[in-house]
Amino acid sequence: MTAQELTTQEQLDAFTDEVARELGTHCRTDRLTDVESGRGRLIIDGDGRALRLYQPNEHRPDRLKIYAALPDETRMTAPSIRVTATSARHVAREITRRLYPLHTEAAQQAAELAAHQQEE
């Protein structure tokens, strides 16, 4: 299977919508406002987890970087994965297999850090 050439924001939006459908019926997408360069899209799932999907290199439109958004990213680095846009199903599978466990772990660490700072 060859990677998809997502060369416009509209193509990335449509691809991200497909990824959201593959992730589950309660996922939705939205405009991503904090992309400094390139194209991006936000995916929000039914559990309230947010993912920032973007193309870090315009010369490699088939390569995606996906960040797990955290409530307070000033204290922790958001976990991320890199994946090739082979298909929406492939990207969704990699999010589920690789990014969601990192997202859960980072969210727990963030909660522990917040509780510890509140105690001080």
Side-chain angles (χ1 to χ4, degrees), residues 25-91:
T25 57
H26 298 293
C27 286
R28 63 183 175 86
T29 63
D30 202 349
R31 191 168 52 91
L32 186 58
T33 56
D34 61 349
V35 176
E36 288 144 24
S37 64
R39 290 175 282 280
R41 193 82 174 145
L42 184 67
I43 298 174
I44 303 164
D45 72 12
D47 296 327
R49 290 180 290 208
L51 306 172
R52 294 186 310 264
L53 183 146
Y54 83 101
Q55 293 172 303
N57 184 342
E58 68 183 45
H59 302 292
R60 295 288 313 271
D62 62 324
R63 298 292 296 157
L64 303 173
K65 189 162 187 181
I66 307 167
Y67 287 94
L70 297 174
D72 183 1
E73 292 179 10
T74 59
R75 295 187 179 122
M76 292 187 65
T77 302
S80 67
I81 62 171
R82 291 183 184 271
V83 64
T84 302
T86 309
S87 71
R89 177 168 283 154
H90 169 73
V91 173

